[in-house]
Amino acid sequence: MMNPKMFYIVSDSVGETAELMVKAAVSQFTDSDMRIQRIPYVEDLETLDEAVQTAKESEGLIAYTLVKTEFRERIKTKAEENQVVAMDLMGPLIENLKGYLDEEPALQPGLVHKLDEDYYKRIEAIEFAVKYDDGRDAKGILKADLVLIGVSRTSKTPLSQFLAHKQLKVANVPIVPEVEPPEELFQVHPSKCIGLNIDSEQLNHIRTERLRSLGLDGSANYAKEERIQEEIDYFNKIVDKIGCRTINVSTKAVEETANAILNTIR
């Protein structure tokens, strides 16, 4: 029985991209008996030389995804010297993109996995913000990277979502005079908590417009100046008790407040 032909995947990262491409190509040849072997995380030129020598001895093929120009040139030269078929799966694409984008590539191995990791961290943070929104579950307060507190209509929820896209796990807690804040709120370090302050006149306007947009009476107690001042006074007491910093959101867009928060916690 003939030994299977060898196809070596040489990569400065995991090598999974090249392996998928090779498998897809090999699948088009129904009578082929080919074994694929990865040589991943190549960090030096000597490993490339050894890969070429191994392929030569086994009469195998090489497919490589190497981002560093020096590495690509080395394996190409060595393969030609040893009459080994070696296919560059990454180089032509990088060179074409370089010309099209008019930008120099980073030439840093493993960036795609870093991007994937950033993506999953962001999704995790977004799910966290939804789960622990509006004081829904006090357990999230102690798990959060940041806790936002404020009276109603101080943009706690949109801020939590915006900051989640920065990979921050944010919990937010509404401050209402009739409701005692959860004990967990006083257990977090003050540096991890930020109070969202707002001018009473601005809050009155926001709440009045909110009620009207819902088809409700704009003069309801929710939007009355006396009620608003009572909530703000209670909010200030909670802030003093926690010892956390505050940011005034009266005239700020969500993006501005988020940037102010990021600057504050940094």
Side-chain angles (χ1 to χ4, degrees):
M1 183 178 179
M2 291 182 61
N3 292 327
K5 294 180 174 64
M6 295 298 300
F7 211 136
Y8 297 96
I9 307 297
V10 180
S11 176
D12 45 22
S13 186
V14 181
E16 60 186 357
T17 302
E19 182 172 351
L20 287 172
M21 292 179 68
V22 167
K23 283 182 176 178
V26 170
S27 69
Q28 299 299 315
F29 300 88
T30 55
D31 294 331
S32 65
D33 183 13
M34 187 161 285
R35 180 177 300 167
I36 297 172
Q37 180 178 324
R38 288 195 210 178
I39 303 176
Y41 302 114
V42 175
E43 297 180 344
D44 54 71
L45 298 174
E46 289 73 20
T47 303
L48 298 176
D49 296 347
E50 292 171 4
V52 171
Q53 186 61 35
T54 301
K56 180 181 179 179
E57 293 172 358
S58 63
E59 299 183 354
L61 305 173
I62 292 177
Y64 57 96
T65 50
L66 301 164
V67 297
K68 293 182 179 180
T69 305
E70 180 187 12
F71 281 24
R72 295 202 305 271
E73 291 178 349
R74 178 62 166 256
I75 196 169
K76 179 182 178 183
T77 301
K78 284 293 180 181
E80 289 174 350
E81 290 175 357
N82 289 275
Q83 297 183 323
V84 171
V85 176
M87 291 156 276
D88 185 356
L89 304 183
M90 181 73 76
L93 181 57
I94 289 178
E95 291 303 315
N96 277 287
L97 281 173
K98 176 182 173 182
Y100 179 76
L101 299 174
D102 192 24
E103 179 183 345
E104 288 298 321
L107 300 181
Q108 181 179 337
L111 281 183
V112 66
H113 296 285
K114 183 178 185 301
L115 291 173
D116 288 345
E117 183 181 350
D118 289 345
Y119 171 78
Y120 287 117
K121 283 182 178 179
R122 189 161 60 250
I123 294 301
E124 186 180 359
I126 292 170
E127 292 175 346
F128 186 95
V130 171
K131 183 175 182 179
Y132 299 110
D133 180 48
D134 208 32
R136 194 172 297 162
D137 186 346
K139 292 194 293 293
I141 294 173
L142 299 178
K143 299 176 183 177
D145 298 320
L146 180 68
V147 181
L148 301 179
I149 64 171
V151 300
S152 175
R153 310 311 298 176
T154 49
S155 300
K156 296 185 298 297
T157 295
L159 277 169
S160 297
Q161 288 291 330
F162 189 97
L163 292 168
H165 281 83
K166 305 295 183 181
Q167 301 181 18
L168 283 174
K169 294 180 180 178
V170 184
N172 72 76
V173 180
I175 302 300
V176 185
E178 292 78 15
V179 180
E180 187 73 21
E183 294 181 6
E184 289 85 349
L185 189 58
F186 304 103
Q187 296 172 12
V188 298
H189 195 279
S191 64
K192 292 178 64 176
C193 182
I194 290 183
L196 303 177
N197 208 344
I198 190 168
D199 298 337
S200 59
E201 296 84 358
Q202 180 70 10
L203 186 55
N204 171 256
H205 173 72
I206 292 172
R207 288 188 176 182
T208 299
E209 291 302 313
R210 175 61 175 165
L211 289 171
R212 288 173 179 167
S213 70
L214 295 173
L216 303 173
D217 184 3
S219 62
N221 187 53
Y222 176 70
K224 285 183 177 179
E225 293 182 6
E226 297 82 1
R227 171 61 185 182
I228 287 173
Q229 193 57 56
E230 178 188 359
E231 291 186 32
I232 291 176
D233 290 342
Y234 183 67
F235 164 80
N236 289 331
K237 288 181 181 178
I238 298 301
V239 165
D240 290 341
K241 185 175 180 179
I242 297 172
C244 66
R245 294 161 289 186
T246 63
I247 291 178
N248 194 301
V249 302
S250 301
T251 59
K252 289 185 175 69
V254 169
E255 293 85 352
E256 292 178 284
T257 305
N259 286 330
I261 289 171
L262 290 171
N263 290 333
T264 299
I265 63 177
R266 283 168 184 165

